[in-house]
Every structure is written in structure tokens, then in C-alpha cells.
């Protein structure tokens, strides 16, 4: 008999047990190696693997499942795992199992042939939908999950409703008759585990006993009266089998008690008592006495610790403890806010309420630390708390809060009787944080969604809070804080039109509860209010606040078409000199003011001024960064994540932005009206210095002209380029139509006036371009013909021609009697392009002849220039014959003394001399002719 059957709990004699133990102790190496390979497998697997040689493989019973049962068990197992993981908030595991279910369901549907899916699967879908869609999770609960689980929960929430539409009928039937019990929760896992254990148990054959009856593989007999002996033998055999699994010297070492000993003893006790009737349950008192071994407890039962009661007298100590715990690691910020709310309800006088409210506002701002922006609910609570603090300060003028005051640490706050007290704190810091959080929320919300509009509605209550705080600072005479709150108020007014600001002021007056402000009295116009606020900052604020206030004032003037006032304010303040040294936000504000000035000048028809204001900004490739309206793509440098995050924090909210497409359209239109006549004047007179006024426009125009095929204009740039080409050809009607067809003009308040102004400007510039282009072709032009050609009245044409003649742009004169423009003779020296081209060809041919002669001289002189040969003759001749003034012989006037004559005399005598003189004379003549041509 094999030694592995001793775990079956058979009742063999002690002799057979000893024989088996001896056989197991002295088993061969081959069996030990097999046992090592078996590892920590369970006893029943060991028995099935190492059965005796007398047993055959046919005795092993295997469980065979059809595909239907197999896929059903797999689906039930997945449903159970999903419910278990959902209860543990392990949503990543839920998503993983949920992704596996469709493939199993697809296979199972093909096998069911019209039968319904398992109820456990439908129940898991219902529970999952209730947990994700109906119940959901708050932001705090999602924040407690890991990033992977939170992402999986959100994805599952989006998918589950669409997935369950396919099983709507089955889900509805389940909801009508739901089965929610612990047995059903445990059934899938038990079925999955039981199927595996059942297959394993059936794979192990029953061990035959001496009496010829079979004993179960686990060694237990439920109906046996000899369970005590059976359990002893099973324990003994199990210990011996554990010894068999030890190899070598390890079998004789002392063993540590296993973790499952207590459980094994309990199981053995249960088996021994299985045949005896269970005793009746004892009452709770008897159980306590049995546990206490006969001792009786004396005294009362322990009670839960009560929370300390907070009173007005003890409020100071509690508030100090909460304040000291602020910022420490492990401090629960939500609990801190709740505790401060409790203290606020207990506070009995204005002094205690002010202290608690200041601590509560700080705690509310700390609660959102680490987030991209403060949630709207928390922001509303913080604003309400600040308004409550302002209401207490307005109702109690004897209480003031100042940043430089001493700390008021008096434990007798409960006995406050209304005496003047100054607390240390900074209300303006609370307002700055509140306004900054409002701006951050606008930066984070998509501006093209209703959420952005909903969030913008909070700007009016925020403006009311700013106005109330300004009034409090005026009454308390806090100069520094008053300057800061006035600047905050201007920031909410300067970018809006007067019509919008009037509505905001009316709403603020309806919501305000405090008295009127002397800086912004009710009933005054918006322009006057902004002027008073800015003037106050000009007189009392520090330089940085003064510069920012002036730039906002300039922006507001330019926004309302007061161009000359804004321009004079900019020039007299010399801000352009101090702006490059200012901080980034001030530089952004300066760029915005310049852009708005350019738009204001364009609306008034000041094309040259508009171009000068916008050329520096639009010539750069970083308009978005300069105006803080986005982060552009950096080709030359790669921004680090910290720098990119810093740039995103500087971005302005969407409703404050300047339309970049409108700004580009204004700039390109002004460039076209300036550059096209300049190009025509440069082509007409080649001696005029060709200077490019706008390189950006010139590059766009050159690129457009190089295109092989040009379709109809589609965007703003295409319309402007087509208009520029028509203007250069003299077709002012087509140029006007292209410009007026641009849809971006509708964003300007005076759209029709701007289109009429542009049509007039195009007519004037078309006339100037025509005169520059054809001034060399005509001797005179009639004013009536020009007026009819370009649709301009005769006085306007006369004024334009007079200005051009006076400024020297045209070499002509006006004949008032005959109404004719007479061109001067200077225009006919280069009367046509053919003549200009011929002159250029002549100059190039002359230069080519000069170069050819120099090359010929180098060839006949042996590669030496005349200067090098002259120096060589001096070194060789030394003190030879010459004139009395020291000149060498070849410089004498005689024909035989020339350089070429001497060289040719050596070759051919007198004939060579004559040829040399002739060549020299020819060169001199050629030089004279060249000089004459020049």
C-alpha cells in the first residue's frame, strides 16, 4: 500500500502505520525527487499524482463540461469579481473585467439559442449602473481614489448606460423583481470555486479501506461513530506526510507551530462533536461569566469620550489651537472649516465674530490649495464669508483691521463692551485672492460652453464686494489698501464699453447695502467714474500702480474712440520708456493699450497712425504671447513645463481678449494703403531710394504673386492680397469690393462708417498710384478726367494734387485756368520703362568693357599689374638715366621712353615703338570716352 493513503483517515492498526512510516523514512532518492517536484501541492493532488502501481489511470474520474457550462461559469465568475471590486472601489479591476464580458457573452449567446442570460450577469449590470450613474461619486470621493481608479470610474460611467441599452428588457424585469441577498452575492464566487474544487476532488480516487468501503479524500466521515479515532489517525498521518515532504536533515529539526494549527484543532473539534447534539445557546450573561472565569466586573461600562463643549468663554483657546494647527502635516482642512463654523455660531460679540471670520476665510482658501482653481461652491462660500465680515465692520466702526496692527491676544473677548480695537489682518489680501481665483476659474473653463457664461454671472457680485470694500477703506482711511482696491475696481471696468458698465453699476447699486463712495458717487457717468479713480491713483499710489492705472485709462479712451486724448496721455506720461523695465503683466497691458490705440486710429481714418501703433506688435511672430492670449508654438526653443505653466497662468480670460483676426485685418489694410503707392513711386523713379515700409505685407504680396493658380479669396488675407493687386492695377472698384467683402468688419461698432471710410481711402490711394505709374507717359492730365475716372469730386482731386506737388512727390505744376496738371521735363529723362531698361543695359555693358580691358592688361604684362612692374623696374634700374626730377625713362613724354615702346623695340624696332604708342593712345582715348559716358 502506498504511503500517500495514510491521509485518508483509515482505521488501520498501529503495526501497519509503523510499517508505512518506516517505508516512508527509508524511501529511495527517486521518490524524494518526485516529492520535491510536487512542491507545496495539496494532499489530494499528491495522492492522485503518486498513486501505487497497482492502481490504473482508469480509476481517476475527470469532470467534463460542455462549452455552455464552461462559458456560463466564466460569465458568473466575471460578474462576481465585478461586484466584489466595485464594493472595494477598485475600479480599474472592474473596468478590466467589464472589458472581458462582451466576448464571453457573445460566445454564450450562440450556445443558449434563445435562452436568457444568467441572472447574476443582469444583476451585476444593474448594480454597476446604479453605482456609477445614479449614485455616482463626488469630487472629494474621486480625489481619494488613485488616478487610475478615478479614470477607470469616469470611463465606465460613460460606457455603462450605452452598454445596458441592449439588455433594457432584462434589466427592467430584474428591477421589477430584484433579488438582493447575501446568498446571491456569495453564490457566483462559491460556484466558481466549487466547480474547481469539485473537479479536483473528483479527480482523486476514493481510498479503499480494510473493511472494503470507500473513505472520502479529505479523511472525514460525517456518519461515523468512530470520528475521534479517525481524526487522530488523520492528524498522525498528516504529520507523517509533512515529515515525508522534508528532505535530509530538515526532517529532524524542531518545527515552528503552523498558522493553521488553531484552525485545524477547531475543525477536529467540530468533527468530533458532529455526531453529538449541539447544546442550547447560553444567555449573554452566562457567556460573559464563562469568559471571565467566574469573576464579576465591578463599576460602570466604559463610555465614549464626549467632544469638548465650546462656549463663548473658551472660544479664544479653541480658536488659538485651530490657528496653531494650520499648515501642519496631517491637518484635515475640511474638519478645520467645520470647526470654525461651529465657533462662529458660538461667538457672542462682534470682536469674536471678526476673529473667527478671518480665520474661516483663510481656512476656506486653504481648502482649495493644490487645485488648478477654486471650486465654484467653495468660492461662493468664501465670498459670502467676506461679505459677512464687511457687514460686521460696517455695523461696528470701532473695529478696524490693519496689516501693521499689534496682535490682539486677549482672553477676555467674551466681555467685549464696544471699545475701539484694531485687529491685525489684511482684508485686501482676501479680496485679491478671491479675484485671482475668479480669474483662474475663467482661464480653466472652456469659453465656448454655457459654463463660462454661468461663471461670468458671478462678476457682478464680485464687483459689489469690491465697491463695498472700497467704501470701508475710505471711511477707515487706509491709504495703501484703498489704492489696491481702487485698482481692482478699474480692472473690472476699463475693458468694457460704457453701455455694459452702466448696467453693471446699476446692478451693483441694487445689491449694495453700504453707503456711497466719495470716489465713485452714484449717478455719475462711467467715464467720470473711471477718471476719478485713475486720478486718485495718479496722486496717491506707488509708481507701479500708477503706470497700470494710466495704461488702463489709455485703453478705455481708445476703446471709446477718444484717440487724441489717449495718444496725448501716452506721449506725456513717457510710459514707453519705462515699459521695457516693468514686470510681465505691465508689459502685456502696454501692448494691449498700443493695439487698442491702433484700432481707434483706424476707426477715425488715421491710416498712418494706425500702422505705426501696430507695426511693432504685428511684425513679431508672438502676438498671442505679447497680448497674453495664448501660448504659441516655439520653433527655436522648447519651453520647460514650469515655464509653460507660468505662461498659462498669465493668460487673460477670453472675454477680455482683443480679436487677433480683427487686429491683423486692420494692420494689413493700413499696410496696403501705404505700401502700394510707395511701390508705384519707386518703380516710376529708379533713382528714388527703394525702402520697404512694411516687410510683412511685402512678403505676403510676393508670395501671393508667385502662386501659379489663385482661386477666389476665402479668408481675410486672401481678400486683402486681391485688393492690393487690383489697387496696383488701378482698378479701385474691385479693390473696394474685396475690402468691403471682409466679414470681420462686423465686429466693430461703427461697421458702415468704416466701410465708407475705406472706400474713400482706396479711391485716393488709387489716384496716387495712377499718377506715380503714368507720370512719365503724359505731359499733362486734366482734373475733370481724374475726377471722373476715380469717382472723386473735383475740389478733392485738386487738393490732393496740390498736396502731392507741394510735398515733392510729383514733378509737376497745376494750371488753375485750364484745370490741368502739367508734368515737368524731369519726368521725361526716364520717360518709359524701355528707356530705363536701355540705360541699365548701357551701364552694364560699360562695366563689362572695363573689366575686359583689365584682364587684357594682365595678359600682355605677364600676369603683373602696371604698378607691380613699375616697382620692379625701380629696383633693377637703380640710378639710371632719367629726368632731373628723378622720374624714370618710361615716364618721359617722348615716344621712345614709353613702357610699351621699350618692350616693343626689343621685339620689332621702330615699328614696335609706333604700335606701342598707338596702343597707349587708344587706352587713353577709351578712358576719356568712358569718362564722358559717365
Amino acid at each position: 500500500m502506498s504511503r500517500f493513503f495514510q491521509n485518508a483517515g483509515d482505521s488501520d492498526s498501529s503495526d501497519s502505520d509503523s510499517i508505512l512510516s518506516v517505508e516512508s523514512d527509508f524511501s529511495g532518492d527517486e521518490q524524494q525527487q518526485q516529492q520535491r517536484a510536487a512542491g507545496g501541492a495539496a494532499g489530494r493532488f499528491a495522492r492522485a499524482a503518486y498513486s501505487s502501481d497497482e492502481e490504473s489511470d482508469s480509476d481517476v474520474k475527470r469532470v467534463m463540461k460542455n462549452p455552455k457550462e464552461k462559458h456560463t461559469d466564466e460569465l458568473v465568475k466575471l460578474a462576481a469579481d465585478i461586484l466584489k471590486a466595485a464594493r472595494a472601489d477598485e475600479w480599474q479591476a472592474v473596468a478590466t473585467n467589464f472589458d472581458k464580458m462582451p466576448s464571453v457573452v457573445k460566445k454564450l449567446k450562440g450556445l443558449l439559442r434563445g435562452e436568457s442570460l444568467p441572472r447574476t450577469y443582469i444583476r451585476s449590470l444593474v448594480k454597476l449602473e446604479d453605482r456609477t450613474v445614479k449614485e455616482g461619486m463626488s469630487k472629494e470621493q474621486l480625489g481619494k481614489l488613485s488616478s487610475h481608479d478615478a479614470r477607470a470610474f469616469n470611463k465606465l460611467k460613460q460606457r455603462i448606460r450605452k452598454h445596458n441599452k441592449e439588455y433594457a428588457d432584462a434589466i427592467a424585469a430584474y428591477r421589477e423583481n430584484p433579488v438582493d441577498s447575501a446568498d446571491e452575492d456569495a453564490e457566483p464566487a462559491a460556484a466558481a470555486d466549487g466547480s474547481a474544487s469539485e473537479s479536483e476532488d473528483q479527480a482523486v480516487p476514493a481510498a479503499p479501506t480494510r473493511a472494503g468501503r470507500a473513505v472520502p479524500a479529505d479523511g472525514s466521515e460525517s456518519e461515523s461513530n468512530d470520528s475521534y479515532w479517525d481524526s487522530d489517525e488523520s492528524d498522525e498521518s498528516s504529520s507523517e506526510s509533512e515529515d515525508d515532504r522534508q528532505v535530509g536533515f530538515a526532517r529532524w529539526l524542531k518545527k515552528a507551530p503552523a498558522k493553521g494549527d488553531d484552525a485545524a484543532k477547531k475543525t477536529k473539534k467540530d468533527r468530533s462533536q458532529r455526531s453529538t447534539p449541539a447544546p442550547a445557546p447560553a444567555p449573554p450573561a452566562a457567556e460573559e461569566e464563562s469568559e471571565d472565569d467566574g469573576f464579576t466586573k465591578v463599576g460602570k461600562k466604559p463610555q465614549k469620550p464626549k467632544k469638548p463643549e465650546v462656549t463663548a468663554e473658551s472660544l479664544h483657546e479653541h480658536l488659538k489651537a485651530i490657528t496653531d494647527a494650520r499648515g501642519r502635516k496631517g491637518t484635515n482642512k475640511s474638519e478645520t472649516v467645520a470647526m470654525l463654523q461651529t465657533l462662529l455660531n458660538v461667538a457672542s460679540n462682534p470682536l469674536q465674530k471678526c476673529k473667527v471670520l478671518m480665520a474661516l476665510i483663510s481656512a476656506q482658501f486653504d481648502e482649495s490649495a493644490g487645485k488648478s482653481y477654486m471650486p465654484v461652491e467653495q468660492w461662493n462660500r468664501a465670498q459670502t464669508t467676506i461679505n459677512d465680515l464687511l457687514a460686521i465692520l460696517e455695523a461696528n466702526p470701532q473695529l478696524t483691521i490693519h496689516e501693521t496692527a499689534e496682535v490682539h491676544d486677549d482672553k477676555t473677548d467674551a466681555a467685549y463692551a464696544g471699545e475701539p480695537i484694531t485687529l491685525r489682518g489684511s482684508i485686501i489680501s482676501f479680496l485679491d485672492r478671491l479675484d485671482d481665483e475668479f480669474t483662474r476659474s475663467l482661464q480653466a473653463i472652456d469659453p465656448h460652453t454655457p459654463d463660462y457664461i454661468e461663471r461670468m454671472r458671478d462678476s457682478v457680485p464680485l464687483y459689489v464686494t469690491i465697491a463695498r470694500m472700497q467704501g470701508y477703506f475710505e471711511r477707515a482711511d487706509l491709504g495703501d489698501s484703498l489704492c489696491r482696491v481702487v485698482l481692482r475696481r478699474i480692472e473690472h471696468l476699463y475693458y468694457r464699453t460704457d453701455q455694459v458698465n452702466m448696467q453693471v453699476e446699476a446692478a451693483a447699486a441694487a445689491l449694495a447695502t453700504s453707503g456711497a463712495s466719495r470716489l465713485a458717487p452714484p449717478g455719475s457717468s462711467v467715464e467720470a467714474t473711471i477718471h476719478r479713480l485713475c486720478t486718485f491713483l495718479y496722486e496717491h499710489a506707488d509708481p507701479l500702480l500708477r503706470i497700470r492705472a494710466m495704461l488702463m485709462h489709455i485703453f478705455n479712451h481708445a476703446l471709446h474712440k477718444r484717440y487724441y486724448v489717449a495718444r496725448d496721455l501716452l506721449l506725456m506720461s513717457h510710459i514707453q520708456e519705462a515699459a521695457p523695465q516693468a514686470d510681465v503683466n505691465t508689459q502685456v497691458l502696454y501692448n494691449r493699450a498700443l493695439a487698442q490705440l491702433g484700432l481707434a486710429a483706424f476707426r477715425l481714418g488715421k491710416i498712418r497712425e494706425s500702422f505705426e501703433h501696430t507695426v511693432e506688435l504685428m511684425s513679431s511672430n508672438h502676438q498671442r504671447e505679447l497680448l497674453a492670449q495664448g501660448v504659441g508654438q516655439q520653433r527655436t526653443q522648447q519651453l520647460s513645463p514650469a515655464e509653460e505653466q507660468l505662461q498659462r497662468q498669465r493668460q487673460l480670460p477670453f472675454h477680455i481678449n482683443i480679436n487677433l483676426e480683427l487686429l491683423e485685418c486692420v494692420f494689413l489694410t493700413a499696410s496696403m494703403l501705404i505700401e502700394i503707392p510707395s511701390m508705384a513711386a519707386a518703380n516710376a523713379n529708379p533713382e528714388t531710394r527703394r525702402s520697404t515700409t512694411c516687410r510683412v505685407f511685402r512678403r505676403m504680396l510676393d508670395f501671393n504673386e508667385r502662386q501659379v493658380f489663385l482661386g477666389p479669396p476665402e479668408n481675410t488675407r486672401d481678400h486683402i492680397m486681391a485688393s492690393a493687386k487690383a489697387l496696383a492695377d488701378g482698378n479701385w472698384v474691385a479693390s473696394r469690393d474685396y475690402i468691403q467683402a471682409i466679414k470681420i468688419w462686423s465686429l466693430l461698432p461703427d461697421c458702415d462708417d468704416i466701410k465708407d471710410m475705406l472706400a474713400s481711402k482706396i479711391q485716393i490711394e488709387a489716384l496716387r498710384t495712377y499718377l506715380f505709374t503714368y507720370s512719365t507717359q503724359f505731359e499733362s492730365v486734366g482734373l475733370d478726367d481724374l475726377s471722373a475716372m476715380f469717382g472723386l469730386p473735383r475740389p478733392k482731386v485738386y487738393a490732393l494734387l496740390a498736396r502731392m506737388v507741394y510735398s515733392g512727390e510729383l514733378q509737376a505744376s497745376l494750371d488753375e485756368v485750364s484745370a490741368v496738371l502739367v508734368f515737368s521735363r524731369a519726368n521725361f529723362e526716364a520717360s518709359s520703362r524701355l528707356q530705363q531698361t536701355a540705360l541699365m543695359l548701357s551701364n552694364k555693358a560699360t562695366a563689362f568693357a572695363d573689366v575686359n580691358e583689365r584682364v587684357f592688361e594682365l595678359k600682355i604684362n605677364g600676369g603683373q599689374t602696371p604698378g607691380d612692374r613699375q616697382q620692379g623696374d625701380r629696383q633693377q634700374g637703380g640710378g639710371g638715366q632719367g629726368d632731373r626730377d628723378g622720374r624714370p625713362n618710361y615716364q618721359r613724354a617722348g615716344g621712345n621712353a614709353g613702357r610699351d615702346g621699350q618692350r616693343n623695340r626689343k621685339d620689332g624696332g621702330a615699328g614696335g615703338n609706333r604700335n606701342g604708342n598707338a596702343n597707349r593712345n587708344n587706352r587713353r582715348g577709351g578712358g576719356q570716352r568712358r569718362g564722358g559716358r559717365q
Side-chain angles (χ1 to χ4, degrees):
M1 180 181 294
S2 176
R3 59 187 178 87
F4 294 100
F5 288 110
Q6 54 189 334
N7 286 333
D10 53 359
S11 58
D12 292 343
S13 61
S14 59
D15 296 337
S16 62
D17 293 339
S18 61
I19 293 173
L20 288 175
S21 62
V22 171
E23 290 178 356
S24 62
D25 291 340
F26 296 94
S27 60
D29 296 337
E30 184 177 355
Q31 288 183 349
Q32 293 181 2
Q33 292 177 1
Q34 292 177 354
Q35 292 171 6
R36 287 196 210 101
R44 58 177 179 268
F45 293 105
R47 290 191 297 273
Y50 301 108
S51 60
S52 62
D53 297 335
E54 298 176 356
E55 297 174 351
S56 61
D57 295 338
S58 61
D59 297 335
V60 179
K61 297 180 181 179
R62 299 182 181 274
V63 177
M64 300 298 294
K65 294 184 178 180
N66 55 19
K68 177 181 176 181
E69 295 177 352
K70 178 181 177 182
H71 293 313
T72 302
D73 294 343
E74 185 178 359
L75 185 60
V76 170
K77 180 69 166 54
L78 287 174
D81 293 342
I82 285 176
L83 294 177
K84 182 179 180 182
R87 285 192 291 268
D89 284 338
E90 297 175 356
W91 295 103
Q92 191 174 7
V94 173
T96 303
N97 293 328
F98 187 78
D99 293 338
K100 296 178 182 179
M101 292 176 72
S103 61
V104 181
V105 172
K106 183 178 180 181
K107 297 176 183 178
L108 187 58
K109 282 183 177 180
L111 299 172
L112 290 177
R113 298 178 181 178
E115 298 180 10
S116 60
L117 292 171
R119 187 176 179 83
T120 307
Y121 171 66
I122 302 299
R123 179 172 178 266
S124 65
L125 295 181
V126 173
K127 294 295 183 181
L128 198 58
E129 182 179 0
D130 295 343
R131 184 69 177 86
T132 55
V133 180
K134 293 186 178 181
E135 298 178 4
M137 281 192 177
S138 62
K139 293 184 178 179
E140 297 179 356
Q141 293 174 342
L142 282 176
K144 295 179 181 180
L145 299 177
S146 64
S147 59
H148 299 288
D149 288 338
R151 193 179 301 112
F153 179 82
N154 292 329
K155 290 182 179 179
L156 198 63
K157 183 178 179 181
Q158 298 173 359
R159 294 173 53 192
I160 187 64
R161 183 176 294 176
K162 182 178 180 182
H163 179 272
N164 287 0
K165 288 182 180 179
E166 185 179 355
Y167 310 101
D169 298 337
I171 291 176
Y174 177 83
R175 291 187 182 277
E176 293 177 359
N177 186 20
V179 179
D180 295 335
S181 62
D183 297 338
E184 187 173 351
D185 290 339
E187 181 183 355
D193 296 340
S195 61
S197 61
E198 183 181 356
S199 62
E200 293 168 359
D201 292 341
Q202 291 179 1
V204 180
T209 61
R210 184 174 53 190
R213 58 184 178 85
V215 179
D218 57 354
S220 62
E221 286 183 339
S222 59
E223 298 178 358
S224 174
N225 295 329
D226 300 331
S227 58
Y228 176 79
W229 304 105
D230 293 340
S231 62
D232 294 342
E233 291 176 1
S234 63
D235 293 341
E236 185 178 354
S237 61
S238 62
S239 62
E240 291 175 357
S241 62
E242 290 177 359
D243 294 339
D244 293 339
R245 285 194 294 267
Q246 300 293 337
V247 180
F249 189 71
R251 293 186 297 172
W252 308 101
L253 296 177
K254 184 177 180 180
K255 298 180 219 176
K259 295 182 180 179
D261 288 348
D262 297 337
K265 292 179 180 179
K266 186 175 181 181
T267 305
K268 181 177 66 175
K269 185 177 180 181
D270 294 339
R271 291 173 181 171
S272 63
Q273 295 177 357
R274 193 172 296 171
S275 59
T276 59
E287 292 180 358
E288 291 180 1
E289 291 178 359
S290 61
E291 292 178 358
D292 295 340
D293 296 335
F295 293 95
T296 305
K297 293 183 179 180
V298 179
K300 298 181 180 180
K301 296 182 179 180
Q303 299 179 356
K304 296 181 179 180
K306 296 182 179 180
K307 295 182 179 180
E309 296 182 359
V310 182
T311 60
E313 290 76 12
S314 63
L315 185 143
H316 178 77
E317 288 76 10
H318 291 289
L319 181 61
K320 185 177 181 181
I322 295 174
T323 306
D324 294 341
R326 179 189 176 191
R328 292 181 181 177
K329 186 177 180 181
T331 303
N332 194 330
K333 299 176 182 178
S334 301
E335 292 181 359
T336 302
V337 173
M339 293 168 63
L340 288 172
Q341 290 285 359
T342 304
L343 295 181
L344 181 61
N345 298 330
V346 175
S348 59
N349 54 58
L351 178 60
Q352 288 184 341
K353 290 182 179 180
C354 285
K355 288 186 176 182
V356 175
L357 284 174
M358 286 192 293
L360 179 58
I361 294 171
S362 301
Q364 288 174 342
F365 285 129
D366 292 342
E367 192 176 3
S368 64
K371 300 179 181 179
S372 59
Y373 67 96
M374 194 173 184
V376 180
E377 297 80 6
Q378 297 181 8
W379 188 89
N380 290 330
R381 289 196 295 266
Q383 184 190 18
T384 304
T385 309
I386 293 176
N387 289 332
D388 295 342
L389 179 61
L390 286 175
I392 294 175
L393 294 176
E394 291 169 356
N396 300 274
Q398 72 277 7
L399 290 177
T400 56
I401 300 175
H402 199 270
E403 297 177 359
T404 59
E406 296 182 357
V407 179
H408 185 269
D409 191 6
D410 192 357
K411 299 182 180 180
T412 60
D413 293 343
Y416 175 71
E419 59 272 9
I421 293 178
T422 302
L423 301 176
R424 173 180 285 186
S426 178
I427 308 180
I428 187 61
S429 299
F430 296 152
L431 181 63
D432 291 342
R433 179 68 182 275
L434 190 70
D435 195 8
D436 293 341
E437 292 293 344
F438 178 73
T439 304
R440 289 180 184 176
S441 64
L442 292 177
Q443 291 172 353
I445 299 174
D446 186 3
H448 305 290
T449 58
D451 296 339
Y452 191 88
I453 301 175
E454 186 70 22
R455 185 60 174 145
M456 278 293 298
R457 295 179 181 175
D458 295 332
S459 61
V460 176
L462 177 60
Y463 182 78
V464 173
T465 303
I466 294 174
R468 289 183 63 183
M469 194 168 292
Q470 176 188 338
Y472 167 74
F473 287 144
E474 288 178 5
R475 291 187 294 272
D477 195 16
L478 300 176
D480 296 338
S481 300
L482 180 59
C483 292
R484 291 169 62 181
V485 74
V486 166
L487 185 65
R488 287 283 177 179
R489 186 169 184 176
I490 296 174
E491 288 179 352
H492 283 263
L493 293 175
Y494 83 97
Y495 63 89
R496 295 172 177 159
T497 59
D498 289 344
Q499 293 82 2
V500 177
N501 283 330
M502 289 175 62
Q503 300 295 330
V504 173
E505 290 289 346
L511 295 176
T513 57
S514 59
S517 171
R518 59 180 177 84
L519 293 179
S524 59
S525 63
V526 179
E527 180 183 357
T529 300
I530 295 177
H531 179 73
R532 290 194 189 95
L533 296 175
C534 292
T535 305
F536 174 79
L537 291 180
Y538 298 156
E539 297 174 355
H540 300 90
D542 57 357
L544 179 60
L545 299 183
R546 187 163 55 246
I547 290 175
R548 291 186 61 85
M550 191 167 296
L551 290 173
M552 294 177 191
H553 203 182
I554 292 170
F555 188 97
N556 187 261
H557 281 309
L559 182 64
H560 294 88
K561 212 174 178 178
R562 297 187 289 268
Y563 168 72
Y564 294 104
V565 179
R567 184 196 62 181
D568 295 342
L569 186 60
L570 177 66
L571 295 178
M572 289 188 299
S573 60
H574 300 281
I575 297 180
Q576 60 272 18
E577 300 175 1
Q581 288 78 28
D583 59 318
V584 177
N585 295 328
T586 305
Q587 292 180 9
V588 170
L589 190 57
Y590 175 75
N591 296 333
R592 286 170 53 81
L594 284 182
Q596 196 63 42
L597 270 175
L599 293 176
F602 186 83
R603 292 167 61 186
L604 292 175
K606 304 294 181 181
I607 302 300
R608 175 67 66 174
E609 289 80 357
S610 174
F611 174 79
E612 292 175 353
H613 287 310
T614 57
V615 62
E616 186 177 359
L617 178 64
M618 300 305 297
S619 297
S620 173
N621 295 326
H622 309 288
Q623 291 91 1
R624 295 183 180 275
E625 292 86 342
L626 294 176
L627 295 176
Q629 296 182 189
V631 180
Q633 297 294 332
Q634 301 287 340
R635 294 183 179 179
T636 57
Q637 59 180 354
Q638 186 69 24
L639 294 178
S640 63
E643 293 176 351
E644 185 176 357
Q645 180 67 18
L646 187 61
Q647 284 195 7
R648 293 190 182 278
Q649 291 178 358
R650 296 183 187 134
Q651 304 307 308
L652 296 175
F654 181 78
H655 66 282
I656 305 179
N657 292 351
I658 298 175
N659 194 312
L660 288 179
E661 187 178 358
L662 176 62
L663 188 62
E664 183 184 21
C665 181
V666 168
F667 169 72
L668 292 179
T669 304
S671 301
M672 178 194 71
L673 295 176
I674 294 173
E675 190 68 20
I676 295 300
S678 177
M679 293 170 58
N683 292 331
N685 189 3
E687 295 183 359
T688 306
R689 182 181 178 184
R690 296 186 176 222
S691 59
T692 302
T693 306
C694 180
R695 298 184 183 274
V696 177
F697 177 80
R698 183 67 66 87
R699 284 197 300 267
M700 291 183 182
L701 186 61
D702 294 342
F703 178 78
N704 186 271
E705 290 178 349
R706 288 196 301 267
Q707 298 299 315
V708 178
F709 173 76
L710 289 176
E714 298 178 356
N715 52 23
T716 303
R717 289 187 180 182
D718 294 343
H719 280 85
I720 295 176
M721 292 300 110
S723 176
K725 294 171 70 174
L727 183 62
D729 296 339
N731 190 357
W732 67 272
V733 177
S735 177
R736 179 198 61 189
D737 294 340
Y738 281 128
I739 287 295
Q740 291 183 351
I742 299 176
K743 298 180 180 179
I744 200 69
W745 301 124
S746 60
L747 297 179
L748 294 174
D750 43 1
C751 174
D752 297 334
D753 297 340
I754 289 176
K755 288 183 178 180
D756 296 340
M757 179 269 297
L758 288 175
S760 177
K761 291 292 181 181
I762 288 174
Q763 289 175 322
I764 294 173
E765 297 304 328
L767 175 58
R768 295 179 70 243
T769 305
Y770 179 81
L771 293 176
F772 286 140
T773 304
Y774 299 102
S775 61
T776 60
Q777 308 296 326
F778 302 101
E779 293 183 355
S780 62
V781 179
L783 298 184
D784 295 335
D785 295 338
L786 294 176
S787 177
M789 187 181 300
F790 294 97
L792 293 172
R794 181 177 173 181
K796 194 170 185 178
V797 173
Y798 183 83
L800 176 62
L801 295 178
R803 186 170 65 250
M804 293 178 66
V805 171
Y806 179 78
S807 61
E809 294 178 348
L810 280 179
Q811 300 295 330
S813 61
L814 276 171
D815 189 352
E816 298 182 3
V817 178
S818 58
V820 173
L821 177 67
V822 181
F823 295 100
S824 63
R825 297 294 301 175
N827 294 326
F828 301 107
E829 293 182 0
S831 59
S832 65
R833 290 190 177 183
L834 179 60
Q835 294 177 355
Q836 296 175 15
T837 305
L839 289 175
M840 292 173 60
L841 180 60
S842 176
N843 292 333
K844 291 183 179 181
T846 303
F848 179 74
D850 192 10
V851 172
N852 193 17
E853 283 191 21
R854 291 180 183 178
V855 173
F856 181 73
E857 286 182 357
L858 290 175
K859 183 178 180 181
I860 64 177
N861 292 333
Q864 292 184 350
T865 61
D868 296 339
R869 220 182 76 170
Q870 177 182 356
Q871 184 177 2
D873 292 342
R874 286 181 180 178
Q875 293 178 359
Q876 292 177 4
Q881 292 183 355
D883 294 338
R884 285 176 293 181
D885 55 0
R887 292 182 300 170
N889 292 329
Y890 66 85
Q891 291 185 356
R892 294 169 63 186
N896 296 331
R899 292 176 297 173
D900 298 333
Q902 291 179 1
R903 183 174 65 251
N904 293 332
R905 186 168 58 248
K906 293 179 182 179
D907 297 335
N913 190 7
R914 286 192 299 271
N915 293 333
N917 292 334
N919 292 334
R920 182 180 58 192
N921 294 331
N922 289 335
R923 285 196 301 273
R924 290 179 180 175
Q928 292 175 359
R929 286 193 298 273
R930 287 195 301 272
R933 284 197 301 271
Q934 295 175 357

